[in-house]
């Protein structure tokens, strides 16, 4: 794949749902994109923060779904 033609699917400030590490599991609540991270391995990564959480986590693009 030519990564020069691909860009991040989500943007900073966007609300998303995080699909956890187990098939189809959703971590409760919504998350906000805090920072766009570089392409790593086979996809982009994002720093996200959950509503009411004191910490941030890193998620792969395939683990995120558009907020509802």
């Amino acid at each position: 794949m030519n990564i020069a033609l691909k860009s991040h699917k989500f943007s900073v400030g966007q609300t998303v749902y995080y699909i956890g590490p187990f098939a189809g599991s959703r971590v409760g609540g919504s998350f906000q994109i805090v920072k766009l991270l570089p392409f790593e391995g086979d996809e982009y990564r994002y720093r996200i923060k959950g509503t009411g959480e004191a910490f941030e986590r890193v998620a792969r693009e395939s683990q995120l779904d558009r907020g509802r």
Side-chain angles (χ1 to χ4, degrees):
M1 175 190 342
N2 183 353
I3 63 171
L5 299 177
K6 187 172 175 5
S7 62
H8 287 86
K9 182 177 179 181
F10 305 104
S11 58
V12 172
Q14 185 172 357
T15 299
V16 295
Y17 285 94
Y18 171 62
I19 301 167
F22 305 105
S25 67
R26 286 184 184 255
V27 177
S30 58
F31 290 77
Q32 186 172 39
I33 303 290
V34 175
K35 184 175 182 179
L36 306 179
L37 300 175
F39 195 89
E40 182 181 312
D42 59 349
E43 61 188 314
Y44 283 106
R45 309 257 193 246
Y46 298 82
R47 185 167 295 279
I48 61 173
K49 186 170 186 318
T51 306
E53 289 185 336
F55 58 91
E56 296 176 355
R57 47 179 104 208
V58 173
R60 296 186 321 264
E61 191 166 83
S62 63
Q63 292 178 299
L64 301 177
D65 190 17
R66 296 195 185 283
R68 305 210 194 307

Coordinates of all heavy atoms in Angstrom, one line a residue:
M1 N 0.9 -1.2 0.0 CA 0.0 0.0 0.0 C 0.9 1.2 0.0 O 1.9 1.3 0.7 CB -0.9 0.0 1.2 CG -1.7 1.3 1.3 SD -2.6 1.6 2.8 CE -2.8 0.1 3.7
N2 N 0.5 2.2 -0.7 CA 1.2 3.5 -0.8 C 0.7 4.4 0.3 O -0.4 5.0 0.1 CB 1.1 4.1 -2.2 CG 1.9 5.4 -2.3 OD1 2.5 5.9 -1.3 ND2 2.0 5.9 -3.5
I3 N 1.4 4.5 1.4 CA 0.9 5.3 2.5 C 0.8 6.8 2.2 O 0.1 7.5 2.9 CB 1.6 5.1 3.8 CG1 3.1 5.5 3.7 CG2 1.5 3.7 4.3 CD1 3.8 5.5 5.0
A4 N 1.5 7.3 1.2 CA 1.4 8.7 0.8 C 0.0 9.1 0.3 O -0.4 10.2 0.4 CB 2.5 9.0 -0.3
L5 N -0.7 8.1 -0.2 CA -2.1 8.4 -0.7 C -3.1 8.2 0.4 O -4.3 8.6 0.3 CB -2.4 7.4 -1.8 CG -1.5 7.5 -3.0 CD1 -1.9 6.5 -4.1 CD2 -1.6 8.9 -3.6
K6 N -2.8 7.7 1.6 CA -3.7 7.4 2.7 C -3.5 8.5 3.7 O -2.4 8.9 4.0 CB -3.4 6.0 3.2 CG -4.4 5.6 4.3 CD -4.2 4.1 4.6 CE -5.0 3.6 5.7 NZ -6.0 4.2 6.3
S7 N -4.6 8.9 4.4 CA -4.5 9.8 5.5 C -5.3 9.3 6.7 O -6.0 8.3 6.5 CB -5.0 11.2 5.0 OG -6.3 11.1 4.7
H8 N -5.2 10.0 7.8 CA -5.9 9.6 9.0 C -7.4 9.6 8.7 O -7.9 10.6 8.0 CB -5.6 10.5 10.1 CG -4.2 10.3 10.7 ND1 -3.1 10.9 10.2 CD2 -3.9 9.6 11.8 CE1 -2.1 10.5 11.0 NE2 -2.5 9.7 11.9
K9 N -8.1 8.7 9.2 CA -9.6 8.6 9.0 C -10.3 9.5 10.0 O -11.4 10.0 9.7 CB -10.0 7.1 9.2 CG -11.5 6.9 9.1 CD -11.7 5.4 9.2 CE -13.2 5.0 9.1 NZ -13.4 3.6 9.3
F10 N -9.7 9.7 11.1 CA -10.3 10.6 12.2 C -9.5 11.8 12.4 O -8.3 11.8 12.1 CB -10.5 9.7 13.5 CG -11.2 8.5 13.3 CD1 -10.6 7.2 13.2 CD2 -12.6 8.5 13.2 CE1 -11.2 6.1 13.0 CE2 -13.3 7.3 13.0 CZ -12.6 6.1 12.9
S11 N -10.0 12.8 13.1 CA -9.3 14.0 13.3 C -9.3 14.4 14.8 O -10.2 13.9 15.6 CB -9.9 15.2 12.5 OG -11.3 15.3 12.8
V12 N -8.4 15.2 15.2 CA -8.3 15.7 16.6 C -9.6 16.4 17.0 O -10.2 17.1 16.3 CB -7.1 16.7 16.8 CG1 -7.1 17.3 18.2 CG2 -5.8 15.9 16.5
G13 N -10.1 16.0 18.2 CA -11.3 16.5 18.7 C -12.6 15.7 18.4 O -13.6 15.9 19.0
Q14 N -12.4 14.8 17.4 CA -13.6 14.0 17.0 C -13.9 13.0 18.1 O -13.0 12.4 18.8 CB -13.2 13.3 15.7 CG -14.4 12.5 15.1 CD -14.1 12.0 13.7 OE1 -13.0 12.2 13.2 NE2 -15.0 11.2 13.2
T15 N -15.2 12.7 18.3 CA -15.7 11.7 19.3 C -15.8 10.3 18.5 O -16.4 10.3 17.5 CB -17.0 12.1 19.9 OG1 -16.8 13.3 20.5 CG2 -17.5 11.0 20.8
V16 N -15.2 9.3 19.2 CA -15.2 8.0 18.6 C -15.6 6.9 19.6 O -15.6 7.2 20.8 CB -13.9 7.6 17.9 CG1 -13.6 8.5 16.8 CG2 -12.8 7.7 19.0
Y17 N -15.9 5.7 19.2 CA -16.0 4.6 20.1 C -14.8 3.7 19.9 O -14.4 3.5 18.8 CB -17.3 3.8 19.8 CG -18.5 4.5 20.3 CD1 -19.2 5.3 19.4 CD2 -19.0 4.4 21.6 CE1 -20.4 6.0 19.9 CE2 -20.1 5.0 22.0 CZ -20.8 5.8 21.2 OH -21.9 6.5 21.6
Y18 N -14.3 3.3 21.0 CA -13.1 2.4 21.0 C -13.5 0.9 21.1 O -14.3 0.5 22.0 CB -12.2 2.7 22.2 CG -11.0 1.8 22.4 CD1 -10.0 1.6 21.5 CD2 -10.9 1.1 23.6 CE1 -9.0 0.8 21.7 CE2 -9.9 0.2 23.8 CZ -8.9 0.1 22.9 OH -7.8 -0.7 23.1
I19 N -13.1 0.2 20.1 CA -13.5 -1.3 20.0 C -12.3 -2.0 20.7 O -11.2 -1.9 20.1 CB -13.7 -1.7 18.6 CG1 -14.8 -0.9 18.0 CG2 -14.0 -3.2 18.6 CD1 -15.0 -1.1 16.5
G20 N -12.5 -2.5 21.8 CA -11.4 -3.1 22.6 C -10.6 -4.2 22.0 O -10.9 -4.6 20.8
P21 N -9.7 -4.7 22.7 CA -8.8 -5.8 22.1 C -9.4 -7.1 21.9 O -8.9 -8.0 21.2 CB -7.7 -5.9 23.2 CG -8.3 -5.3 24.4 CD -9.3 -4.3 24.0
F22 N -10.6 -7.3 22.5 CA -11.3 -8.6 22.2 C -12.4 -8.4 21.1 O -13.0 -7.3 21.1 CB -12.0 -9.0 23.5 CG -11.0 -9.1 24.7 CD1 -11.0 -8.2 25.7 CD2 -10.1 -10.2 24.7 CE1 -10.1 -8.2 26.7 CE2 -9.2 -10.2 25.8 CZ -9.2 -9.3 26.8
A23 N -12.5 -9.3 20.3 CA -13.4 -9.3 19.1 C -14.7 -8.6 19.4 O -15.5 -9.2 20.2 CB -13.5 -10.6 18.5
G24 N -15.0 -7.5 18.8 CA -16.3 -6.8 18.9 C -16.6 -6.1 20.2 O -17.6 -5.6 20.4
S25 N -15.7 -6.2 21.2 CA -15.9 -5.6 22.5 C -15.8 -4.1 22.4 O -15.0 -3.6 21.7 CB -15.0 -6.1 23.6 OG -13.7 -5.8 23.3
R26 N -16.7 -3.4 23.1 CA -16.6 -1.9 23.1 C -16.3 -1.5 24.6 O -16.9 -2.0 25.5 CB -17.9 -1.3 22.7 CG -18.1 -1.4 21.2 CD -19.4 -0.6 20.9 NE -19.7 -0.8 19.5 CZ -19.5 0.2 18.6 NH1 -19.1 1.4 18.9 NH2 -19.7 0.0 17.3
V27 N -15.4 -0.7 24.7 CA -15.1 -0.1 26.1 C -16.1 0.9 26.3 O -16.4 1.7 25.5 CB -13.6 0.5 26.1 CG1 -13.3 1.1 27.4 CG2 -12.6 -0.6 25.8
G28 N -16.7 0.9 27.5 CA -17.8 1.8 27.8 C -17.5 3.3 27.6 O -16.4 3.8 27.8
G29 N -18.5 4.0 27.1 CA -18.4 5.4 26.9 C -17.8 5.8 25.6 O -17.3 5.0 24.8
S30 N -17.7 7.1 25.4 CA -17.1 7.6 24.2 C -15.7 8.1 24.5 O -15.3 8.4 25.6 CB -18.0 8.7 23.6 OG -18.1 9.8 24.5
F31 N -14.9 8.3 23.4 CA -13.5 8.7 23.5 C -13.3 9.9 22.5 O -14.0 10.0 21.5 CB -12.6 7.6 23.1 CG -12.6 6.5 24.1 CD1 -13.6 5.6 24.2 CD2 -11.5 6.4 25.0 CE1 -13.6 4.5 25.2 CE2 -11.5 5.4 26.0 CZ -12.5 4.5 26.0
Q32 N -12.4 10.7 22.9 CA -12.1 11.8 22.0 C -10.7 11.7 21.5 O -9.7 11.3 22.2 CB -12.2 13.2 22.8 CG -12.0 14.4 21.9 CD -12.3 15.7 22.6 OE1 -11.9 15.8 23.8 NE2 -12.9 16.6 22.0
I33 N -10.5 11.9 20.2 CA -9.1 11.9 19.6 C -8.3 13.1 20.1 O -8.8 14.2 20.0 CB -9.2 12.0 18.0 CG1 -10.1 10.9 17.4 CG2 -7.8 12.0 17.4 CD1 -9.5 9.5 17.5
V34 N -7.2 12.8 20.8 CA -6.4 13.8 21.4 C -5.2 14.1 20.5 O -4.8 15.3 20.4 CB -5.8 13.3 22.7 CG1 -4.9 14.3 23.4 CG2 -7.0 13.0 23.7
K35 N -4.7 13.1 19.8 CA -3.5 13.4 18.9 C -3.4 12.3 17.8 O -3.8 11.2 18.0 CB -2.2 13.3 19.8 CG -1.0 13.6 19.1 CD 0.2 13.6 20.0 CE 1.5 13.9 19.2 NZ 2.7 13.9 20.1
L36 N -3.0 12.7 16.6 CA -2.8 11.8 15.5 C -1.4 11.3 15.6 O -0.4 12.1 15.7 CB -3.0 12.6 14.2 CG -4.3 13.3 14.0 CD1 -4.4 14.0 12.6 CD2 -5.5 12.4 14.1
L37 N -1.2 10.0 15.5 CA 0.1 9.4 15.6 C 0.5 8.9 14.2 O -0.3 8.7 13.4 CB 0.1 8.3 16.6 CG -0.2 8.7 18.1 CD1 -0.3 7.5 19.0 CD2 0.8 9.7 18.6
P38 N 1.8 8.7 14.0 CA 2.2 8.3 12.7 C 1.8 6.9 12.3 O 1.3 6.1 13.1 CB 3.8 8.3 12.8 CG 4.1 8.8 14.1 CD 2.9 8.9 14.9
F39 N 1.9 6.6 11.0 CA 1.6 5.3 10.5 C 2.6 4.3 11.1 O 3.8 4.6 11.1 CB 1.8 5.3 8.9 CG 1.2 4.1 8.2 CD1 -0.1 4.1 7.8 CD2 2.0 3.0 7.9 CE1 -0.7 3.1 7.1 CE2 1.4 2.0 7.2 CZ 0.1 2.0 6.9
E40 N 2.1 3.2 11.6 CA 3.0 2.2 12.2 C 2.6 0.8 11.9 O 1.4 0.5 12.1 CB 3.1 2.4 13.8 CG 4.0 1.5 14.5 CD 4.0 1.7 16.0 OE1 4.1 2.9 16.4 OE2 3.9 0.7 16.7
G41 N 3.4 0.0 11.4 CA 3.1 -1.4 11.0 C 2.2 -1.3 9.8 O 2.7 -1.1 8.7
D42 N 0.9 -1.5 10.0 CA 0.0 -1.5 8.8 C -1.1 -0.5 8.9 O -2.0 -0.5 8.1 CB -0.5 -2.9 8.6 CG -1.3 -3.4 9.9 OD1 -1.2 -2.8 10.9 OD2 -2.0 -4.4 9.8
E43 N -1.1 0.4 9.9 CA -2.2 1.4 10.0 C -1.8 2.6 10.9 O -0.8 2.5 11.6 CB -3.5 0.7 10.5 CG -3.3 0.1 11.9 CD -4.6 -0.7 12.3 OE1 -5.7 -0.2 12.1 OE2 -4.4 -1.8 12.8
Y44 N -2.6 3.6 10.8 CA -2.4 4.8 11.7 C -2.8 4.5 13.1 O -3.6 3.6 13.4 CB -3.2 6.0 11.2 CG -2.6 6.6 10.0 CD1 -3.2 6.5 8.7 CD2 -1.5 7.4 10.1 CE1 -2.6 7.1 7.6 CE2 -0.9 8.0 9.0 CZ -1.5 7.9 7.7 OH -1.0 8.4 6.6
R45 N -2.2 5.2 14.0 CA -2.5 5.1 15.5 C -3.0 6.5 15.9 O -2.7 7.5 15.4 CB -1.2 4.7 16.3 CG -0.5 3.5 15.7 CD -0.7 2.3 16.5 NE 0.2 1.2 16.2 CZ -0.2 0.1 15.6 NH1 -1.5 -0.1 15.3 NH2 0.7 -0.8 15.4
Y46 N -3.7 6.4 17.1 CA -4.3 7.7 17.6 C -4.1 7.6 19.1 O -4.2 6.6 19.8 CB -5.8 7.7 17.3 CG -6.1 7.8 15.9 CD1 -6.2 6.7 15.1 CD2 -6.4 9.0 15.3 CE1 -6.5 6.7 13.8 CE2 -6.8 9.1 13.9 CZ -6.8 7.9 13.2 OH -7.1 8.0 11.9
R47 N -4.0 8.8 19.7 CA -4.0 8.9 21.2 C -5.4 9.3 21.5 O -5.9 10.3 20.9 CB -3.0 9.9 21.7 CG -2.9 10.0 23.2 CD -1.7 10.7 23.7 NE -0.5 10.1 23.4 CZ 0.1 9.1 24.1 NH1 -0.6 8.6 25.1 NH2 1.2 8.6 23.7
I48 N -6.1 8.6 22.4 CA -7.5 8.9 22.7 C -7.7 9.0 24.2 O -6.9 8.4 25.0 CB -8.5 7.8 22.1 CG1 -8.1 6.4 22.7 CG2 -8.4 7.7 20.6 CD1 -9.1 5.3 22.4
K49 N -8.7 9.7 24.6 CA -9.0 9.9 26.0 C -10.5 9.6 26.2 O -11.3 10.2 25.5 CB -8.6 11.3 26.5 CG -8.8 11.5 28.0 CD -8.2 12.8 28.5 CE -8.2 12.9 30.0 NZ -9.4 12.5 30.7
G50 N -10.8 8.8 27.2 CA -12.2 8.5 27.5 C -12.8 9.5 28.4 O -12.2 10.1 29.2
T51 N -14.1 9.7 28.2 CA -14.9 10.6 29.1 C -14.8 10.1 30.5 O -15.1 9.0 30.8 CB -16.3 10.7 28.6 OG1 -16.4 11.1 27.3 CG2 -17.1 11.7 29.4
G52 N -14.3 11.0 31.4 CA -14.2 10.6 32.8 C -13.0 9.8 33.2 O -12.8 9.4 34.3
E53 N -12.1 9.5 32.2 CA -10.8 8.8 32.5 C -9.7 9.8 32.7 O -9.7 10.9 32.1 CB -10.5 7.9 31.3 CG -11.3 6.7 31.2 CD -10.9 5.8 30.1 OE1 -10.2 6.2 29.2 OE2 -11.2 4.6 30.2
A54 N -8.8 9.5 33.6 CA -7.7 10.4 33.9 C -6.5 10.1 33.1 O -5.5 10.8 33.2 CB -7.3 10.2 35.4
F55 N -6.6 9.1 32.2 CA -5.4 8.7 31.4 C -5.8 8.7 29.9 O -7.0 8.7 29.6 CB -4.9 7.4 31.8 CG -5.9 6.3 31.8 CD1 -6.0 5.5 30.6 CD2 -6.7 6.0 32.8 CE1 -7.0 4.5 30.5 CE2 -7.7 5.0 32.8 CZ -7.8 4.2 31.6
E56 N -4.8 8.6 29.1 CA -5.0 8.5 27.6 C -4.5 7.1 27.2 O -3.7 6.5 27.9 CB -4.2 9.5 26.9 CG -4.6 11.0 27.2 CD -3.8 12.0 26.5 OE1 -2.8 11.7 25.8 OE2 -4.1 13.2 26.6
R57 N -5.0 6.6 26.1 CA -4.6 5.3 25.6 C -4.3 5.5 24.1 O -4.7 6.4 23.5 CB -5.6 4.2 25.8 CG -7.0 4.6 25.5 CD -7.9 3.4 25.8 NE -8.7 3.6 27.0 CZ -9.1 2.6 27.7 NH1 -8.9 1.3 27.4 NH2 -9.8 2.8 28.8
V58 N -3.5 4.5 23.5 CA -3.2 4.5 22.1 C -4.1 3.5 21.5 O -4.2 2.3 22.0 CB -1.7 4.3 21.9 CG1 -1.4 4.1 20.4 CG2 -0.9 5.4 22.4
A59 N -4.7 3.8 20.3 CA -5.5 2.9 19.6 C -5.2 2.8 18.2 O -4.8 3.9 17.6 CB -7.0 3.2 19.8
R60 N -5.3 1.7 17.6 CA -5.1 1.6 16.1 C -6.4 2.0 15.4 O -7.5 2.0 16.0 CB -4.9 0.1 15.7 CG -3.6 -0.4 16.3 CD -3.2 -1.9 15.8 NE -4.4 -2.7 15.7 CZ -4.8 -3.6 16.6 NH1 -4.1 -3.7 17.8 NH2 -5.8 -4.4 16.4
E61 N -6.2 2.5 14.2 CA -7.4 3.0 13.4 C -8.5 2.0 13.3 O -9.7 2.3 13.4 CB -6.9 3.5 12.1 CG -8.0 4.3 11.3 CD -7.4 5.0 10.1 OE1 -7.3 4.3 9.1 OE2 -7.1 6.2 10.2
S62 N -8.1 0.7 13.2 CA -9.1 -0.4 13.0 C -9.9 -0.6 14.3 O -10.9 -1.3 14.3 CB -8.5 -1.7 12.6 OG -7.5 -2.1 13.6
Q63 N -9.4 -0.1 15.5 CA -10.1 -0.2 16.7 C -11.1 0.9 17.0 O -11.7 0.9 18.1 CB -9.1 -0.3 17.9 CG -8.2 -1.5 17.8 CD -7.2 -1.5 19.0 OE1 -6.4 -0.6 19.0 NE2 -7.3 -2.5 19.8
L64 N -11.2 1.9 16.1 CA -12.1 3.0 16.3 C -13.3 3.0 15.4 O -13.1 2.6 14.2 CB -11.3 4.3 16.1 CG -10.1 4.5 17.1 CD1 -9.3 5.7 16.7 CD2 -10.4 4.4 18.5
D65 N -14.4 3.5 15.9 CA -15.6 3.6 15.1 C -16.1 5.0 15.3 O -16.0 5.6 16.4 CB -16.6 2.5 15.6 CG -17.8 2.4 14.7 OD1 -17.8 2.8 13.5 OD2 -18.8 1.9 15.2
R66 N -16.8 5.5 14.3 CA -17.3 6.9 14.4 C -18.3 7.0 15.5 O -19.1 6.1 15.8 CB -18.0 7.3 13.1 CG -17.1 7.4 11.9 CD -17.7 8.1 10.8 NE -16.8 8.0 9.6 CZ -15.7 8.8 9.5 NH1 -15.3 9.6 10.4 NH2 -14.9 8.7 8.4
G67 N -18.3 8.2 16.2 CA -19.2 8.4 17.3 C -20.6 8.5 16.8 O -20.9 8.7 15.7
R68 N -21.6 8.2 17.7 CA -23.0 8.2 17.3 C -23.7 9.4 17.9 O -23.4 9.8 18.9 CB -23.6 6.9 17.7 CG -22.9 5.7 17.2 CD -23.7 4.5 17.0 NE -23.1 3.3 16.8 CZ -22.1 3.0 15.9 NH1 -21.6 3.9 15.2 NH2 -21.6 1.8 15.8

